[in-house]
């Protein structure tokens, strides 16, 4: 389990964002999911080194999360595939918390070859704030180092687990939402510069 | 120590809130160890609980519950639970960051959970308050009873003190008169007087004495008096003690004394004193009869302090359990005491 958690973290960190916070629980409740059809398409960063392919997905992809929770409405579920040095796919849910929209990422492309590996798979979520303006997409990641320091210095009251320097939030969805909503305007919690992607047809 | 704390309201409240803080700190803390943020969170939580608790304690209970406005109180109480939970949310959503800007604190509880916590706290503190009130009432009642008892004891002592000088004075006069007449009799009289004084010094301190001791006292007294009476006075002391029950000391003695004080004179024809005492399991009957001193036509003893003292003592010692009557006719004075036996 430890190895897979680390692997997941590394994929998350290198492909999705420069850093990310892993959470045992998602930041959405099923009833709160929103959908933006304008998110579908192929997005590139300014150097065109990274790209994201995003589309509505079906349930054919297999994850433990999906097995547990089969009632998601298909139209509110995205499959995002990141192309960088590595390639990784994520099941993505969109939710509005406070004044902003957020995405909840859950790794999709870990297709285990044996049952033991699947049993040991430890599913985690990652979040970011998103703002789309036509063909412009801003992904604003949480400042992992800042939040980690808050938790280590006991300045943030939230359930967590620290494993080999990796932070895993254990707080329930309600607490995550309360935290995001309450401190949505605190610039310290987010990275200084958002990642900007442009859609190309 | 515990009683002192219970009686000291501020100390009691401090103990309650310190205990609550300790328990909530354990429940609310995320880790096994406690950190500053846990102390702050618990402190704020306890503060949000304390506000409605004291609103209930200082406003709702005295203004509504104590004035028997039960419906209004119940409504206000329920409203207070909702307002308390809202106050908790306001505190954690809007206020806590101004007070502790270096911390990121969110409330981990849903409104429904908060309602339950506030319900438990408000109900338990209301019950504690009412229990303490009840305890205070009982304490006050027992204090009043103690005060009443003390007052009675003082009054009885004063009555006894009132009796003693009369008693001594009369008997010393009797002994004095015997010394010149018959030294042998005077010697016996002194012994009898010393027995009487022993009784008055030691036995009188007790709440109750055996009735046979009282009989002995009367006998001593009568013997003493017989020595000083000139002429033919018929003195009868008839007693039948079937049960040696207990009686308040010196209760009958003033009536015996009065027989001699008011009824003996040579001017009377066939002067007599009849004292009778009977006691069994149920009652004590005492009666004292004497012929009147016709040389004192204005004898006012029916309104005298002696009879008044007896009446007061009987009322204090045997409330609703005694009967005291006296009759005054042309030739005799007759007083009767009947006491329900305390066996």
């Amino acid at each position: 389990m430890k190895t897979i958690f680390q692997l997941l973290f590394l994929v998350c960190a290198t492909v999705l964002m420069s850093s990310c916070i892993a959470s045992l629980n998602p930041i959405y409740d099923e009833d709160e999911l929103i959908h933006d059809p304008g998110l579908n398409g192929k997005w590139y960063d300014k150097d065109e080194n990274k790209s994201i392919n995003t589309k509505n997905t079906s349930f054919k992809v297999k994850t433990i999360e999906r097995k547990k929770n089969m009632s998601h409405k298909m139209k509110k579920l995205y499959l995002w595939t990141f192309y960088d040095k590595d390639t990784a796919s994520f099941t993505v849910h969109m939710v509005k918390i406070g004044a902003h929209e957020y995405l909840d990422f859950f790794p999709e492309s870990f297709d285990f070859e044996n049952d033991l590996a699947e049993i040991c798979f430890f599913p985690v979520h990652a979040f970011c704030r998103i703002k789309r303006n036509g063909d412009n997409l801003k992904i604003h990641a949480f400042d992992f180092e800042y939040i980690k320091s808050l938790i280590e210095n006991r300045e943030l009251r939230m359930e967590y687990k620290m494993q080999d320097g990796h932070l895993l939030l254990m707080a329930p969805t309600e607490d995550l939402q309360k935290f995001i909503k309450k401190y949505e305007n605190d610039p310290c919690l987010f990275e200084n510069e958002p990642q900007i992607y442009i859609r190309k047809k | 120590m515990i009683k002192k704390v219970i009686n000291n309201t501020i100390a009691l409240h401090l103990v309650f809130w310190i205990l609550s803080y300790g328990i909530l700190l354990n429940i609310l803390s995320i880790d096994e160890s406690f950190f500053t943020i846990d102390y702050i969170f618990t402190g704020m939580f306890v503060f949000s609980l304390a506000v409605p608790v004291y609103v209930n304690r200082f406003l709702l209970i005295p203004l509504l519950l104590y004035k028997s406005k039960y419906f209004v109180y119940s409504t206000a109480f329920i409203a207070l639970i909702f307002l308390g939970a809202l106050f908790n949310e306001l505190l954690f959503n809007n206020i806590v960051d101004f007070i502790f800007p270096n911390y990121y604190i969110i409330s981990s509880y849903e409104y429904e959970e908060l309602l339950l916590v506030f319900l438990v706290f408000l109900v338990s503190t209301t019950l504690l308050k009412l229990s303490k009130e009840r305890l205070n009432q009982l304490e006050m009642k027992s204090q009043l009873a103690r005060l009443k008892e003390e007052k009675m004891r003082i009054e009885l002592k004063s009555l006894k003190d009132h009796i003693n000088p009369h008693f001594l004075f009369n008997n010393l006069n009797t002994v004095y008169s015997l010394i010149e007449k018959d030294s042998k009799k005077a010697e016996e009289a002194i012994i009898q007087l010393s027995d009487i004084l022993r009784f008055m010094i030691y036995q009188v301190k007790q709440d109750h004495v055996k009735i046979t001791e009282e009989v002995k006292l009367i006998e001593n007294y009568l013997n003493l008096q017989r020595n000083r009476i000139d002429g033919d006075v018929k003195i009868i002391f008839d007693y039948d003690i079937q049960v040696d029950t207990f009686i308040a000391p010196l209760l009958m003695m003033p009536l015996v004394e009065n027989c001699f004080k008011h009824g003996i004179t040579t001017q009377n024809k066939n002067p007599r004193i009849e004292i009778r005492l009977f006691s069994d399991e149920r009652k004590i009957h005492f009666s004292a009869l004497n012929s009147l001193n016709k040389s004192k036509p204005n004898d006012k003893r029916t309104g005298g302090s002696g009879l008044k003292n007896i009446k007061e003592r009987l009322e204090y010692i045997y409330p609703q359990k005694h009967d005291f009557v006296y009759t005054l006719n042309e030739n005799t004075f007759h007083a009767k005491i009947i006491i329900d036996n305390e066996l």
Side-chain angles (χ1 to χ4, degrees), chain A residues 91-132:
Chain A
T91 305
V92 177
H93 293 86
M94 194 175 181
V95 65
K96 187 164 186 179
I97 301 170
H100 302 277
E101 287 160 355
Y102 295 84
L103 295 180
D104 179 293
F105 292 88
F106 191 83
E108 183 63 63
S109 61
F110 293 94
D111 209 358
F112 299 103
E113 290 177 2
N114 64 67
D115 292 341
L116 185 62
E118 189 172 332
I119 290 165
C120 295
F121 180 69
F122 194 69
V124 293
H125 295 258
F127 331 116
C128 68
R129 184 189 281 178
I130 191 171
K131 186 172 174 62
R132 187 181 71 83

Side-chain angles (χ1 to χ4, degrees), chain A residues 146 150 154-160 174-175 178-179 182-183 186 188-189, chain B residues 28 30-31 35 37 41 92-93 96-97 103-110:
Chain A
Y146 182 69
L150 285 180
R154 315 286 175 175
E155 290 166 347
L156 167 60
R157 192 177 171 280
M158 194 170 275
E159 289 174 65
Y160 72 97
E174 296 77 26
D175 284 8
K178 276 184 185 176
F179 174 68
K182 186 175 176 188
Y183 297 107
D186 186 341
C188 300
L189 290 176
Chain B
L28 302 176
I30 288 170
D31 290 319
F35 297 93
I37 198 165
F41 185 87
F92 282 103
N93 290 339
V96 71
D97 293 336
Y103 291 93
Y104 288 79
I105 299 173
I106 54 159
S107 171
S108 318
Y109 299 93
E110 293 301 302

Side-chain angles (χ1 to χ4, degrees), chain A residues 4 17 28-29 40 42 64 68 81 98 103 134 140-141 151 187:
Chain A
I4 293 167
M17 295 146 221
Y28 61 85
D29 273 335
N40 290 335
K42 190 125 184 168
I64 290 170
K68 283 194 297 187
T81 306
L103 295 180
H140 215 150
I151 286 179

Side-chain angles (χ1 to χ4, degrees), chain B residues 222-244:
Chain B
L222 292 178
N223 288 335
L224 208 56
Q225 293 299 326
R226 279 188 188 102
N227 288 329
R228 81 174 174 97
I229 293 168
D230 294 324
D232 190 17
V233 179
K234 193 176 175 186
I235 299 173
I236 297 169
F237 179 34
D238 186 14
Y239 58 88
D240 180 9
I241 308 300
Q242 293 185 4
V243 176
D244 194 5

Side-chain angles (χ1 to χ4, degrees), chain B residues 124-141:
Chain B
S124 55
T125 49
T126 304
L127 290 176
L128 277 175
K129 166 74 181 152
L130 296 180
S131 309
K132 190 166 182 292
E133 288 292 315
R134 180 78 186 130
L135 210 67
N136 284 347
Q137 274 177 1
L138 289 175
E139 179 77 16
M140 216 180 250
K141 217 173 171 179

